[in-house]
Amino acid sequence: MQKKTVSLVLGSGGARGMAHIGIIKWLEEHDYKIESISGCSMGALIGGFYAAGKLDNYTQWLQELDVIGILKLLDFQGSGGLVSGTVLMKKLEDLVGDYNIEDLPVKFTAVASDINQEKEVWMSTGSLLSAIRASISLPLFFTPHLYKGNLLVDGGVLNPVPIAPTFHDHTDITIAVNLGGKVDLSLQVKETMIDDVDDSIGAKISNYLKQVKLPNIVNFEEGVYKVADNSFDAMQGTIARMKLAAYPPDVEIEVPRNLCGTLEFNRADEIIEYGYNLCDRLHKEGLL
């Protein structure tokens, strides 16, 4: 049986992006061949490592990550953002290495936002890690990334589900993963527990910030971070709905925005499994 070729669009959404891993795994196991990937933020990171053939390395590391491990990656020495990202990117390079995007076996485009020229930037050549760093530059949290003389921030600022880079692909089907989907009320009971976990991460980060004597305004539990995080989620959800209505993919996989907190990377196994099971459910319903 010939595999169905796929253009895969991976959206932004913090730790919810770990669901992308489960979705990719399901597609591979069910006779889909991913020939093209467009991603922004966490979608660019997951998609880029998949395109490089290194997703298993990254996934194994995620599955071993705990709250303390997350904290060790946060070097609060940024300019224009709390975190410079240097420690994180060094870890990612150690895990998967760096590649030129044009040399990858799978077509790949990372999408970031140019805050000065107010436009999307599509990166389909050059350093993979540089493109990922630009695309994950969450405003206020990460320092903007200098790319070809321009300051770039998270691709989700302008296009949380970047489908346009796939328009000229010659694949059988375009599948878009939207991480800003409608709230799933069946997750509400879990959500209280999720909030508690996310707040515990926030509390530990806030305690660390006190040790390094950063101002209270950046308190991760109830300060600027919480407001910015909620605002960014609301903005991304609205933009995603508009983009997908204007340029509908063949299949949209919608991950509820209350699946987990932005920083809950210590829940990898659960979130990956959710993505896999979501595809299974859509398949049984004839939607995938």
Side-chain angles (χ1 to χ4, degrees):
M1 179 179 177
Q2 188 173 0
K3 291 188 175 183
K4 186 176 288 189
T5 57
V6 176
S7 293
L8 186 60
V9 182
L10 301 177
S12 62
R16 293 192 299 277
M18 294 185 292
H20 291 321
I21 299 172
I23 290 167
I24 288 171
K25 182 180 179 183
W26 189 94
L27 292 173
E28 285 193 314
E29 291 179 1
H30 291 79
D31 295 319
Y32 289 89
K33 182 183 179 184
I34 300 168
E35 291 193 345
S36 171
I37 297 176
S38 172
C40 72
S41 198
M42 194 62 177
L45 194 157
I46 299 292
F49 289 164
Y50 175 80
K54 298 292 184 177
L55 186 56
D56 287 346
N57 296 30
Y58 177 69
T59 301
Q60 182 178 352
W61 172 69
L62 272 181
Q63 291 170 326
E64 297 169 355
L65 194 63
D66 57 16
V67 174
I68 300 303
I70 295 171
L71 289 173
K72 288 180 178 178
L73 297 171
L74 304 180
D75 51 337
F76 292 99
Q77 300 173 357
S79 174
L82 284 174
V83 177
S84 77
T86 303
V87 173
L88 172 62
M89 296 312 296
K90 178 63 171 65
K91 181 62 180 178
L92 295 181
E93 184 173 12
D94 291 343
L95 281 170
V96 303
D98 197 8
Y99 304 83
N100 286 325
I101 297 174
E102 61 270 28
D103 297 331
L104 299 178
V106 175
K107 178 177 176 282
F108 174 71
T109 303
V111 176
S113 303
D114 186 322
I115 55 176
N116 293 320
Q117 299 186 53
E118 301 178 4
K119 67 178 185 179
E120 293 177 36
V121 175
W122 297 359
M123 294 164 285
S124 54
T125 60
S127 164
L128 174 63
L129 286 182
S130 179
I132 289 172
R133 175 63 182 85
S135 190
I136 66 171
S137 298
L138 183 67
L140 292 181
F141 192 80
F142 279 117
T143 297
H145 184 64
L146 189 64
Y147 178 84
K148 296 184 178 180
N150 298 310
L151 281 177
L152 304 186
V153 298
D154 196 300
V157 169
L158 294 178
N159 195 350
V161 191
I163 194 170
T166 69
F167 282 171
H168 298 294
D169 290 347
H170 299 289
T171 53
D172 297 323
I173 187 172
T174 298
I175 298 174
V177 184
N178 176 15
L179 299 179
K182 297 176 183 176
V183 170
D184 183 349
L185 295 179
S186 70
L187 295 172
Q188 290 292 70
V189 174
K190 285 187 177 181
E191 192 176 5
T192 303
M193 298 170 61
I194 290 170
D195 288 341
D196 289 343
V197 175
D198 208 27
D199 286 345
S200 73
I201 296 174
K204 290 183 179 181
I205 295 175
S206 293
N207 288 335
Y208 179 83
L209 293 181
K210 290 174 184 175
Q211 293 174 26
V212 296
K213 298 182 179 178
L214 290 179
N216 289 333
I217 192 172
V218 296
N219 186 295
F220 271 67
E221 296 172 273
E222 54 190 23
V224 167
Y225 163 74
K226 198 75 170 181
V227 174
D229 185 46
N230 291 342
S231 300
F232 195 60
D233 258 358
M235 179 189 74
Q236 284 191 115
T238 300
I239 296 173
R241 287 192 294 274
M242 293 171 60
K243 293 283 187 180
L244 291 169
Y247 308 108
D250 297 303
V251 176
E252 179 186 352
I253 299 175
E254 189 175 277
V255 175
R257 62 180 179 270
N258 64 325
L259 176 62
C260 68
T262 301
L263 292 174
E264 288 192 278
F265 290 97
N266 55 311
R267 296 177 61 209
D269 286 334
E270 179 186 346
I271 305 305
I272 292 169
E273 183 181 12
Y274 183 93
Y276 187 95
N277 291 339
L278 176 58
C279 287
D280 230 14
R281 188 167 73 245
L282 292 173
H283 179 66
K284 290 174 182 175
E285 294 172 358
L287 301 175
L288 181 61

